[in-house]
Amino acid sequence: MIPELFERKIYTVTELTYEIKDILEANFEGVWVTGEISGVRTPMSGHVYFTLKDEDSQLKAILYRSRMNHLKFQPEDGIEVIAGGIVSVYGPRGEYQLIVEYLEPKGLGALQLAFEQLKKKLAAEGLFDPAHKKPIPAFPRVIGIVTSPTGAAIRDILKVIQRRFANVEILIYPVHVQGETAPYEIAKAIEEFNTLEGVDVLIVGRGGGSIEDLWAFNEEIVARSIYASRIPVISAVGHEIDFTIADLVADLRAPTPSAAAEMVVKNKADLIEKLDALTIRLKNACRKKLQLTKSHLGEVMKGLRDPRQRISEYQQRVDDLEHRLVLNFRHKLKHSQDKNLYLYRSLILKNPLEPLRQFLQKVKELHVRLVQSQHYSLETKRSQLEKILGKLEALSPLAMLGRGYAICYKVSDPTPLKDATEVQINDKVIVQLSKGKVICRVEEKNHEI
C-alpha cells in the first residue's frame, strides 16, 4: 500500500533530520511559548539548558550564552516564563527544541524578578547587614560625588551644598548613570575615590526615572563596589519611592539627591545660629559659675584670718615646743646621768675583780704556806732518809766488803755461802770483793771457826 501511495524516496537519517529541521524552523520561527522552567543546567559553555513544561507536555529549550548577557534575571526551576524563539531540531539526538531568543517571567517583570533575585543573593552574603554600615561624618571636608555631570542630580546637590555650607570641597567623578556601561563606570568611580586620601564621604546617585533608567544601581558590580568602599557611601537614586540595590548596600540611603546633600552637609546658618545660642548659654553658664565662685570665695574669705597672725601663732607654738623640748631633754639628760652614776657605783660595788684579787692573795699566801710546809716536810724526810741511809750504809754488805769482808757463793748458785759444808772439795766458788771478784777452787774445808 505505501509504495503505491507515496513516491519512493529514501532518506538518510541526517537528510530526514535536516529536512524536518528546515520545516520546523520555517514554520515555527518567532513562536511564543509559556511554561514552567524545569531542570536548569548551565555547563562550562555558558549556555543554559532547561525544559519548559505544563501539565501534559514538555519542551526542550536552550538559551545561548550570548543571549544570557542581555537577560536581567537568572532562569530558575519553578519560574513561569514566556519564551520567544525558534523551534529547531538537535540532530545528534533527533530532538526538537526551542532556541530561546527572549525570555521574560510570567506575571512578574523581568527587572523586578532580577531585583528580587539579586536582593536575596546579596542579603544572604551579608551585604545589607547594618553592622557593616559605616557612620557618616558630621562635618565632612571633602565630598566625592559619582553621578552624571549633566543631570539634574548634580545641579541639585551642588545647589544645596552651596546654600547650606559652601566651605566644603567637592570632587565630581562624571559617569553615565544609565546604559550598558553605566554600572562599570559607577563601580570604577567608587573604587578610584577609595584610592584618594582625604575624601570623607561619597554621594552616588542620579535623578528619577523608570526602573530601566535606574537599573544601573541594581547591578551587582555597583552593589559590591559600594560594600567594599572604605569611604562611607550615601545612595541618592531617583525619587523617594524608588528603591534600588545600591540603597540597601549603602551606608545611608537618601530619598533624593537633594536630600543626600542635606544629610551630608549641615546648614551653615543653622550651625552659626546654634553656635551663637551655645555661646550665649556658655557665657551665661560661665558668668553664673563665676558669680557662684565669687560668692563662695567671699564666704570662705570671711572664715579666713590674717595669715601673719596665724604664722605668729605658729611661731609662738614653735618657741613653746622648743622650750619644752629643751626642758625635756635636760630632764632626760639629768635622769640619764643619775642613772649612769648609780650604775657606775653599783658596778664598783659589784666589781668581780676585787673578790678575785682577794682570792688570788689568799692563794698566794696558801701557796707560800704550802711551799714552806712542803719544804719543812721535805727537810724532815731528808733528815730521816739520811739517818736511814746511814743505817743502811752501816749494814750494807758492800760497806762490809769495803772493810775487807767478802761474799762467797758457788759458781752455779749465787746464794752466799754461810757454812763450809755447803761446798765440796774442788768446787769452784766465786769470791765477791769490794772491788771485783775472784774464782777459787775449794781445796780444803774446815767446819770449825
Side-chain angles (χ1 to χ4, degrees), residues 171-442:
L171 299 178
I172 301 173
Y173 196 109
V175 295
H176 288 95
V177 292
Q178 68 184 74
E180 291 187 359
T181 62
Y184 305 98
E185 293 181 21
I186 294 170
K188 183 180 179 183
I190 295 172
E191 292 173 1
E192 293 197 359
F193 263 128
N194 275 270
T195 64
L196 302 178
E197 295 293 335
V199 179
D200 299 311
V201 65
L202 296 179
I203 297 176
V204 180
R206 56 153 291 158
S210 64
I211 186 172
E212 289 82 1
D213 295 337
L214 305 181
W215 192 252
F217 297 90
N218 286 322
E219 292 288 354
E220 185 172 350
I221 187 174
V222 174
R224 294 196 181 280
S225 65
I226 293 174
Y227 181 77
S229 175
R230 63 173 178 80
I231 305 172
V233 176
I234 300 175
S235 69
V237 183
H239 302 299
E240 186 169 0
I241 58 173
D242 299 322
F243 233 101
T244 65
I245 295 295
D247 294 328
L248 300 174
V249 183
D251 300 295
L252 182 65
R253 184 240 175 189
T256 63
S258 300
E262 292 179 354
M263 288 177 173
V264 77
V265 176
K266 308 296 182 186
N267 191 328
K268 188 173 183 179
D270 294 342
L271 291 175
I272 293 174
E273 183 179 352
K274 188 174 182 180
L275 184 61
D276 291 341
L278 290 174
T279 302
I280 293 173
R281 289 178 59 187
L282 181 62
K283 288 182 178 178
N284 291 335
C286 290
R287 190 178 297 109
K288 289 181 179 179
K289 184 68 176 177
L290 287 175
Q291 290 176 349
L292 184 62
T293 303
K294 186 177 180 180
S295 176
H296 181 67
L297 181 61
E299 295 296 328
V300 173
M301 290 294 292
K302 291 179 180 178
L304 293 177
R305 293 183 296 175
D306 187 345
R308 290 170 296 185
Q309 181 182 356
R310 193 67 178 269
I311 293 173
S312 297
E313 291 178 357
Y314 278 121
Q315 287 178 340
Q316 183 178 356
R317 183 168 177 76
V318 169
D319 292 340
D320 181 55
L321 291 174
E322 182 182 5
H323 178 67
R324 292 170 61 183
L325 181 63
V326 171
L327 291 178
N328 188 43
F329 178 75
R330 288 177 179 175
H331 174 73
K332 288 187 175 181
L333 180 61
K334 181 67 170 53
H335 178 72
S336 298
Q337 289 175 342
D338 293 344
K339 186 176 181 179
N340 289 337
L341 181 60
Y342 171 76
L343 293 175
Y344 176 74
R345 289 173 179 175
S346 297
L347 184 61
I348 293 299
L349 294 175
K350 297 179 180 179
N351 188 359
L353 295 176
E354 185 62 27
L356 182 60
R357 192 178 299 111
Q358 294 176 3
F359 177 73
L360 290 176
Q361 182 62 32
K362 188 174 182 178
V363 169
K364 288 181 180 179
E365 292 175 358
L366 291 173
H367 179 262
V368 171
R369 292 172 61 185
L370 178 61
V371 171
Q372 290 176 350
S373 174
Q374 288 180 344
H375 180 72
Y376 176 75
S377 177
L378 183 61
E379 288 300 326
T380 302
K381 295 295 182 184
R382 180 180 298 166
S383 176
Q384 293 174 354
L385 182 60
E386 287 177 352
K387 289 179 180 180
I388 294 171
L389 287 175
K391 291 179 179 179
L392 289 175
E393 184 68 24
L395 297 175
S396 174
L398 295 177
M400 292 181 69
L401 293 177
R403 289 195 297 270
Y405 295 97
I407 300 173
C408 185
Y409 53 89
K410 294 180 182 179
V411 174
S412 58
D413 185 3
T415 305
L417 299 174
K418 297 177 181 178
D419 193 343
T421 62
E422 295 178 2
V423 295
Q424 302 296 327
I425 300 297
N426 291 326
D427 286 345
K428 287 184 179 180
V429 295
I430 297 174
V431 178
Q432 177 68 49
L433 304 175
S434 175
K435 293 182 181 178
K437 60 182 64 175
V438 295
I439 301 173
C440 304
R441 184 185 301 276
V442 179

